[in-house]
Amino acid sequence: MGPSRSPRPPPLVLLLLVLSLWLALGAGDSPPTESRFVNSCIHARKKCQADPACKAAFHQLESCTSSAGTALALEESTMSADCLQATQQLRNSSLMGCTCHLRMKHKATCLKIYWTVHPARSLGDYELDVSPYEDTVTSKPWKVNLSKLSMLKPDSDLCLKFAMICTLNDKCDRLRKAYAEVCSGFRCQRQLCLAQLRAFFEKAAEPHAQGLLLCPCRPEDVSCGERRRNTIAPSCALPSVVPNCLDLRSFCRADPLCRSRLLDFQTHCHPMDVLGTCATEQSRCLRAYLGLIGTAMTPNFISKVNTSVALSCTCRGSGNLQEECEQLEKSFSQNPCLMEAIAAKMSFHRRLFAQDPVDDPTASVIQQQKNNPAPRPQPRLPVLSVFILTLLLLQTLW
Ligand SMILES: *[C@@H]1O[C@H](CO)[C@@H](O)[C@H](O)[C@H]1NC(C)=O
Ligand SMILES: *[C@@H]1O[C@H](CO)[C@@H](O)[C@H](O)[C@H]1NC(C)=O
Ligand SMILES: *[C@@H]1O[C@H](CO)[C@@H](O)[C@H](O)[C@H]1NC(C)=O
């Protein structure tokens, strides 16, 4: 008997079948957020790594910033010649204009790259300190089921209604329960609570998060106002001993994430005049404001009777920096851009529940969303089946 070739083992087939199912279920989809904005620092670093000179300069700068401490601003005078040369070298690179996204994957890596190359941007007169986060606001339309909305008790206040909208959405509900769990009463664990609050505002759909926090109340409705103030579980999330505002800011700046969020707020909630015109779009200011919740500088509504907000800190004991401290305090509590942005969002939320929202172009997203459901990704199973069948056929021929 001649030696017969042993039949091919089946694991290959199994593997392919598993792979095809995995792809068909969409697990192979690349995350959309990162590719949608071209200027990501992660992408820019990849480009830089491909160029030996850029790669070396970046590497050099990494050691400069780490030896100077994580988030301390490097002064030109205190920089070594090697570090200065590296910053010069990088000024022509793609890293110069790179940004991060509040909701991207690998956020921490992106911010680390941003702050590493930051000295190259800020030394000399290249540009003023700007937010690490991209400027544009791409808001997704509401995905609220109108028939579910009509099931809500008609006489409940709007903050309760927005809380119920969150509950009706699996993701929002899960993320809200996650922070409620670690932020509530005797189970309060402040650091965990802050982390879960950040997770909520990063991961829940923006309309859900904004609806929950920036819900409108009638002026006399204190239980609504109380609910709104308690949205972020202030008794756990905010410090029990009120710190000095400048100390709080120093503490925040020592942490890359908090530092980035604060700079984002300062960039985008910057009032241009007393009327409340913002330096950029109002919606961008709100995104920056919500980005601070869960950091050391978490702001909140100060009372149940109005929509004034403030940081949980005091300017007592600021010594000769009293004025600087009050400015910081006022950038939250008396910021016309922020106040206008909050008022506009609340009135938008009020109109969503108005009897006749059809006249309002901003509210039409709901109707539109209802009529045009988001396109579903096409299943790729047929193509893959053909591919697998071809492979199986080839195998029988071997
Ligand atoms: C940067 O680019 C400019 C013009 O493109 C060029 O003149 C200059 O030599 C470049 N500098 C470095 C350090 O590569
Ligand atoms: C909206 O909610 C209603 C009531 O729960 C349900 O019957 C309907 O299928 C939902 N529609 C969509 C598009 O999810
Ligand atoms: C909001 O209410 C608080 C507490 O009653 C008060 O101190 C603050 O001045 C009010 N804000 C406005 C804008 O009226």
Side-chain angles (χ1 to χ4, degrees):
M1 249 190 220
S4 70
R5 198 184 284 186
S6 61
R8 294 236 151 204
L12 175 69
V13 181
L14 262 176
L15 197 73
L16 284 168
L17 277 170
V18 170
L19 179 74
S20 68
L21 259 178
W22 181 66
L23 285 171
L25 291 174
D29 275 350
S30 57
T33 11
E34 227 163 290
S35 49
R36 230 190 291 127
F37 72 113
V38 281
N39 232 6
S40 141
C41 290
I42 293 188
H43 184 71
R45 187 185 54 176
K46 272 191 200 134
K47 263 172 133 178
C48 174
Q49 302 287 32
D51 167 20
C54 187
K55 187 179 176 181
F58 182 78
H59 190 68
Q60 171 68 50
L61 209 52
E62 265 182 326
S63 66
C64 304
T65 38
S66 62
S67 67
T70 43
L72 294 174
L74 289 170
E75 299 285 330
E76 203 158 357
S77 52
T78 63
M79 255 185 154
S80 74
D82 285 346
C83 296
L84 273 176
Q85 207 193 339
T87 63
Q88 296 291 345
Q89 185 78 49
L90 283 178
R91 279 193 200 173
N92 271 1
S93 78
S94 53
L95 284 162
M96 259 328 80
C98 80
T99 57
C100 301
H101 194 286
L102 279 161
R103 292 168 169 248
M104 74 193 293
K105 287 199 166 188
H106 313 298
K107 288 181 275 277
T109 312
C110 190
L111 287 179
K112 191 164 175 286
I113 299 168
Y114 179 89
W115 289 113
T116 299
V117 297
H118 186 251
R121 303 168 76 127
S122 56
L123 287 184
D125 51 10
Y126 188 80
E127 64 185 340
L128 295 172
D129 243 2
V130 292
S131 166
Y133 297 110
E134 63 163 353
D135 290 348
T136 51
V137 188
T138 45
S139 36
K140 289 182 191 159
W142 271 79
K143 279 188 189 170
V144 179
N145 185 337
L146 280 185
S147 43
K148 279 189 178 166
L149 272 191
S150 59
M151 298 184 334
L152 301 179
K153 271 168 114 185
D155 56 342
S156 43
D157 66 59
L158 288 181
C159 286
L160 183 57
K161 283 186 176 172
F162 276 100
M164 288 163 94
I165 288 176
C166 176
T167 309
L168 287 173
N169 176 274
D170 286 344
K171 191 176 185 188
C172 192
D173 189 42
R174 179 167 42 79
L175 288 161
R176 184 160 165 251
K177 280 189 179 133
Y179 81 73
E181 173 82 24
V182 287
C183 294
S184 68
F186 67 97
R187 277 175 302 181
C188 161
Q189 296 166 272
R190 183 151 183 259
Q191 289 313 314
L192 266 182
C193 171
L194 292 175
Q196 291 296 340
L197 272 172
R198 289 198 302 274
F200 177 82
F201 286 100
E202 278 165 16
K203 292 178 183 158
E206 204 167 41
H208 286 140
Q210 292 193 348
L212 192 66
L213 186 69
L214 306 175
C215 51
C217 295
R218 278 175 290 119
E220 68 282 4
D221 192 347
V222 289
S223 71
C224 177
E226 183 74 350
R227 186 190 310 285
R228 177 168 64 197
R229 212 182 88 77
N230 286 332
T231 303
I232 63 158
S235 58
C236 183
L238 302 179
S240 44
V241 180
V242 178
N244 177 275
C245 295
L246 293 176
D247 290 345
L248 192 65
R249 186 176 65 184
S250 305
F251 182 74
C252 174
R253 283 180 173 168
D255 169 53
L257 181 92
C258 190
R259 180 189 193 188
S260 303
R261 299 289 171 92
L262 179 60
L263 192 48
D264 196 48
F265 176 79
Q266 287 166 338
T267 306
H268 294 291
C269 293
H270 180 67
M272 303 297 279
D273 56 39
V274 289
L275 296 175
T277 314
C278 299
T280 53
E281 285 170 81
Q282 278 183 340
S283 49
R284 188 62 186 80
C285 166
L286 289 181
R287 180 176 288 183
Y289 177 80
L290 264 55
L292 276 172
I293 295 172
T295 69
M297 297 196 77
T298 300
N300 195 22
F301 297 107
I302 55 168
S303 80
K304 54 190 176 187
V305 298
N306 60 31
T307 61
S308 293
V309 298
L311 287 173
S312 271
C313 60
T314 171
C315 279
R316 253 169 286 145
S318 299
N320 56 0
L321 296 175
Q322 184 69 23
E323 206 174 311
E324 190 180 340
C325 185
E326 281 170 13
Q327 283 220 323
L328 173 63
E329 210 176 25
K330 281 185 190 162
S331 69
F332 287 85
S333 60
Q334 290 174 43
N335 180 333
C337 155
L338 177 63
M339 276 157 41
E340 276 298 307
I342 289 176
K345 184 55 81 176
M346 286 183 175
S347 109
F348 167 74
H349 286 149
R350 185 176 289 113
R351 290 196 305 267
L352 285 179
F353 282 97
Q355 287 297 320
D356 183 22
V358 189
D359 294 341
D360 184 351
T362 46
S364 65
V365 282
I366 285 192
Q367 309 289 349
Q368 211 180 324
Q369 182 63 29
K370 196 186 165 200
N371 296 335
N372 313 318
R376 299 195 165 273
Q378 293 298 312
R380 274 159 294 175
L381 200 51
V383 183
L384 269 147
S385 309
V386 172
F387 175 66
I388 289 163
L389 281 175
T390 314
L391 274 171
L392 287 174
L393 192 66
L394 280 173
Q395 217 186 10
T396 57
L397 293 178
W398 275 327

